[in-house]
Amino acid sequence: MSNPGDTIVAIATAIVPQQGSIGIVRISGENALKIAKTLFYAPGKQKWSTHRVLYGYIRHPETQKIIDEVLLLIMLAPRSYTKEDVIEIHCHGGIIPVQQILQLCLEQGARLAQSGEFTLRAFLNGRLDLTQAESIADLVGAKSPQAAQLALSGLQGKLAHSIHKLRTTCLDILAEIEARIDFEEDLPPLNEQEIQESITQILHQVYQILATADRGELLRSGLKIAIVGRPNVGKSSLLNAWSRSDRAIVTDLPGTTRDVVESQLVVGGIPIQVLDTAGIRDTEDTVEKIGVERSRQAAQNADLVLFTIDAQTGWTSADEQIYQQVGDRPLILVINKIDLAKPELAALTQKHKIVKTSATNIQGIEELEQAILEMVKSDNLSAKNLDIAINQRQAAALTRAKIALEQVQETMNNQLPLDFWTIDLRSAIQALGEITGEEVTESVLDRIFSRFCIGK
């Protein structure tokens, strides 16, 4: 857990030799400005005031040796990301400048920040709620424009607003019930029908939000698709045509791919991890045998299998053997090399979606992508027009709230005393509070923010 009294520091940008032109060292805490003034020399008459950019040099405080030429950003509390004093030092990228500046900050008394500690402080200081903090992590890790837009909606508080309204309504109902328990003789009778209707409306909204969990997870994590088939049916050619790059080695020799080759694509706004697997066949080659086993494993772990066959040879006994291993998975049958032959597979057409391709001529790729999106929609995982979407932690808490509210309904229907109504209503209020962070434990915070990158 973060100690608000500490001043923390971290490198806030990725550090790659000869790749990054700018590096940022971020400092937050009550001594941030003091550390900056110790290390930074600003030539001329530049003013040290909030929300200004100063130009100058980072110097060693004892030797006065210049470490780097930098820009220094000042953001004093409470108008900063953490609502504490925040200093950002923008230096040259690479490894040496940022590491040297970081070390100087540590020598001046700052502590190296833990993963996500800047955002944790923003949460603890009331700048963000927990859903907004999680949206920041989602935005940083977004794999598609749609995922980024979804994260941005969460950062703007759209999910938090919905959950807060539900929790406030539950609190109002609880107050009405408890008032009747404590002051029954002084108040008019409780309108039980009105409360029933309110609980029903709350549950309806809870069901709607819960329905976004799978779609949100699809946008965040994407689909894992395995291209599977016997050797030399054109799996690697299909991957290369699809990704518009030579990710896999393509030859006329069967068994060329010895391991799983991976490519990252975005189809219809959904990030997709495509795995080109080794051709599945019986072999005595030790290395190829390992690749074949990995192919089988990839097929079992994939969300969707593209079972690829050769249009020239048609359906073979080897294809049948592979089909017996993957036929129970969500599957699209890809008939490749249709520029060379046009096979008839009527029996399989009735059971699986079929797409005909020619990887060599880059033919059928759009049809393949459309078939994938149709498979996604058929599973009610359409990712279009999402305004909010909960993650797994939020879904678990909302599910507990749903169960508690359903129990309230059952308690009311069974005409149990008012005290029993409040038990499950309190459970629902607590579960809803866990989503936004109004009621949350230290262990939950540690689990959430440990997944953040250092510097964020």
Side-chain angles (χ1 to χ4, degrees), residues 343-372:
E344 295 296 331
L345 298 168
L348 284 173
T349 304
Q350 298 175 2
K351 189 172 183 181
H352 298 291
K353 177 71 176 177
I354 289 183
V355 176
K356 297 178 181 180
T357 64
S358 171
T360 303
N361 298 328
I362 314 181
Q363 180 180 347
I365 301 301
E366 290 184 5
E367 290 78 3
L368 178 60
E369 291 184 346
Q370 186 60 39
I372 292 170

Coordinates of all heavy atoms in Angstrom, one line a residue, residues 343-372:
P343 N -13.1 -28.1 -55.0 CA -13.6 -29.3 -54.5 C -15.1 -29.1 -54.0 O -15.6 -28.0 -53.7 CB -12.7 -29.5 -53.3 CG -12.3 -28.2 -52.8 CD -12.2 -27.4 -54.1
E344 N -15.8 -30.2 -53.8 CA -17.1 -30.2 -53.3 C -17.1 -30.9 -51.9 O -16.6 -32.0 -51.8 CB -18.1 -31.0 -54.2 CG -18.3 -30.3 -55.6 CD -18.9 -29.0 -55.4 OE1 -19.7 -28.8 -54.5 OE2 -18.6 -28.1 -56.3
L345 N -17.6 -30.2 -50.9 CA -17.6 -30.7 -49.5 C -18.9 -30.5 -48.9 O -19.1 -29.8 -47.9 CB -16.5 -30.0 -48.7 CG -15.0 -30.2 -49.2 CD1 -14.1 -29.3 -48.4 CD2 -14.6 -31.7 -48.9
A346 N -19.9 -31.0 -49.5 CA -21.3 -30.8 -49.2 C -21.6 -31.2 -47.7 O -22.3 -30.5 -47.0 CB -22.3 -31.5 -50.1
A347 N -21.1 -32.3 -47.3 CA -21.4 -32.8 -46.0 C -20.9 -31.8 -44.9 O -21.6 -31.5 -43.9 CB -20.7 -34.2 -45.8
L348 N -19.7 -31.3 -45.0 CA -19.1 -30.4 -44.0 C -19.8 -29.0 -44.1 O -19.8 -28.3 -43.2 CB -17.6 -30.3 -44.2 CG -16.8 -31.5 -43.7 CD1 -15.4 -31.3 -44.0 CD2 -16.9 -31.6 -42.2
T349 N -20.3 -28.6 -45.3 CA -20.9 -27.3 -45.5 C -22.1 -27.2 -44.6 O -22.3 -26.1 -44.1 CB -21.3 -27.2 -47.0 OG1 -20.2 -27.4 -47.8 CG2 -21.9 -25.8 -47.2
Q350 N -22.8 -28.2 -44.3 CA -24.0 -28.2 -43.5 C -23.6 -27.9 -42.0 O -24.4 -27.4 -41.3 CB -24.8 -29.4 -43.6 CG -25.3 -29.7 -45.1 CD -26.0 -31.0 -45.2 OE1 -26.1 -31.7 -44.2 NE2 -26.4 -31.3 -46.4
K351 N -22.4 -28.4 -41.6 CA -22.0 -28.3 -40.2 C -21.2 -27.1 -39.9 O -21.3 -26.6 -38.8 CB -21.3 -29.6 -39.8 CG -21.0 -29.7 -38.3 CD -20.5 -31.1 -38.0 CE -20.3 -31.2 -36.5 NZ -19.7 -32.5 -36.1
H352 N -20.3 -26.6 -40.8 CA -19.4 -25.5 -40.5 C -19.5 -24.5 -41.6 O -19.8 -24.8 -42.8 CB -18.0 -26.1 -40.4 CG -17.8 -27.1 -39.4 ND1 -17.8 -26.7 -38.0 CD2 -17.5 -28.4 -39.4 CE1 -17.5 -27.8 -37.3 NE2 -17.4 -28.8 -38.1
K353 N -19.2 -23.3 -41.2 CA -19.0 -22.2 -42.1 C -17.8 -22.5 -43.0 O -16.7 -22.8 -42.5 CB -18.8 -20.9 -41.4 CG -18.6 -19.7 -42.3 CD -19.8 -19.2 -43.0 CE -19.5 -18.0 -43.8 NZ -20.7 -17.6 -44.6
I354 N -17.9 -22.3 -44.3 CA -16.8 -22.6 -45.3 C -16.4 -21.3 -46.0 O -17.2 -20.5 -46.4 CB -17.2 -23.7 -46.3 CG1 -17.3 -25.0 -45.6 CG2 -16.1 -23.7 -47.4 CD1 -17.6 -26.2 -46.5
V355 N -15.1 -21.1 -46.0 CA -14.5 -19.9 -46.7 C -13.5 -20.4 -47.7 O -12.6 -21.2 -47.4 CB -13.9 -18.9 -45.8 CG1 -13.2 -17.8 -46.6 CG2 -14.9 -18.4 -44.8
K356 N -13.6 -20.0 -49.0 CA -12.7 -20.4 -50.0 C -11.6 -19.3 -50.2 O -12.0 -18.2 -50.4 CB -13.4 -20.8 -51.3 CG -14.4 -21.9 -51.1 CD -15.2 -22.2 -52.4 CE -16.2 -23.3 -52.2 NZ -16.9 -23.6 -53.5
T357 N -10.4 -19.7 -50.2 CA -9.3 -18.7 -50.3 C -8.2 -19.2 -51.3 O -8.1 -20.3 -51.7 CB -8.6 -18.5 -49.0 OG1 -8.0 -19.7 -48.6 CG2 -9.6 -18.0 -47.9
S358 N -7.5 -18.2 -51.8 CA -6.3 -18.4 -52.5 C -5.2 -17.5 -51.9 O -5.2 -16.3 -52.2 CB -6.4 -18.1 -54.0 OG -5.2 -18.1 -54.7
A359 N -4.4 -18.0 -51.0 CA -3.4 -17.2 -50.3 C -2.5 -16.6 -51.3 O -2.0 -15.4 -51.1 CB -2.7 -18.1 -49.3
T360 N -2.1 -17.3 -52.4 CA -1.2 -16.8 -53.4 C -1.7 -15.5 -54.0 O -0.9 -14.6 -54.3 CB -0.9 -17.9 -54.4 OG1 -0.4 -19.0 -53.8 CG2 0.2 -17.4 -55.4
N361 N -3.0 -15.5 -54.3 CA -3.6 -14.4 -55.0 C -4.3 -13.4 -54.0 O -5.0 -12.5 -54.5 CB -4.6 -14.9 -56.0 CG -4.0 -15.7 -57.1 OD1 -2.8 -15.5 -57.5 ND2 -4.7 -16.7 -57.6
I362 N -4.1 -13.6 -52.7 CA -4.7 -12.8 -51.7 C -6.2 -12.7 -51.9 O -6.8 -11.7 -52.0 CB -4.1 -11.4 -51.6 CG1 -2.6 -11.5 -51.6 CG2 -4.5 -10.7 -50.3 CD1 -1.8 -10.2 -51.4
Q363 N -6.8 -13.9 -52.2 CA -8.3 -14.0 -52.5 C -9.0 -14.6 -51.3 O -8.5 -15.6 -50.7 CB -8.4 -14.8 -53.8 CG -9.9 -15.0 -54.2 CD -10.0 -15.8 -55.4 OE1 -9.0 -16.1 -56.1 NE2 -11.2 -16.3 -55.8
G364 N -10.1 -14.1 -51.0 CA -11.0 -14.6 -49.9 C -10.6 -14.1 -48.5 O -11.3 -14.6 -47.6
I365 N -9.7 -13.2 -48.4 CA -9.3 -12.7 -47.0 C -10.5 -11.9 -46.4 O -10.8 -12.1 -45.2 CB -8.1 -11.8 -47.1 CG1 -6.9 -12.7 -47.7 CG2 -7.7 -11.3 -45.7 CD1 -6.5 -13.9 -46.9
E366 N -11.1 -11.1 -47.2 CA -12.2 -10.3 -46.7 C -13.4 -11.2 -46.2 O -14.0 -11.0 -45.2 CB -12.7 -9.3 -47.7 CG -11.7 -8.1 -48.0 CD -12.3 -7.1 -48.9 OE1 -13.5 -7.2 -49.3 OE2 -11.6 -6.2 -49.3
E367 N -13.6 -12.3 -47.0 CA -14.7 -13.2 -46.7 C -14.3 -14.0 -45.4 O -15.2 -14.2 -44.6 CB -14.9 -14.2 -47.8 CG -15.5 -13.6 -49.1 CD -14.5 -12.8 -50.0 OE1 -13.3 -12.8 -49.6 OE2 -15.0 -12.3 -51.0
L368 N -13.0 -14.2 -45.2 CA -12.6 -14.9 -44.0 C -12.8 -14.0 -42.8 O -13.3 -14.5 -41.8 CB -11.1 -15.3 -44.1 CG -10.5 -15.9 -42.9 CD1 -11.2 -17.2 -42.6 CD2 -9.0 -16.2 -43.1
E369 N -12.5 -12.8 -42.9 CA -12.7 -11.8 -41.8 C -14.2 -11.7 -41.5 O -14.6 -11.6 -40.3 CB -12.1 -10.5 -42.1 CG -10.6 -10.5 -42.2 CD -9.9 -9.1 -42.4 OE1 -10.7 -8.2 -42.8 OE2 -8.7 -9.0 -42.2
Q370 N -15.0 -11.6 -42.5 CA -16.5 -11.5 -42.3 C -17.0 -12.8 -41.6 O -17.9 -12.7 -40.7 CB -17.2 -11.3 -43.6 CG -18.7 -11.0 -43.5 CD -19.0 -9.8 -42.7 OE1 -18.3 -8.8 -42.8 NE2 -20.0 -9.9 -41.9
A371 N -16.5 -13.9 -42.0 CA -16.9 -15.2 -41.3 C -16.5 -15.2 -39.9 O -17.3 -15.7 -39.0 CB -16.3 -16.4 -42.1
I372 N -15.4 -14.7 -39.6 CA -14.9 -14.6 -38.1 C -15.8 -13.7 -37.4 O -16.3 -14.0 -36.2 CB -13.5 -14.1 -38.1 CG1 -12.5 -15.2 -38.6 CG2 -13.1 -13.8 -36.6 CD1 -11.1 -14.7 -38.8

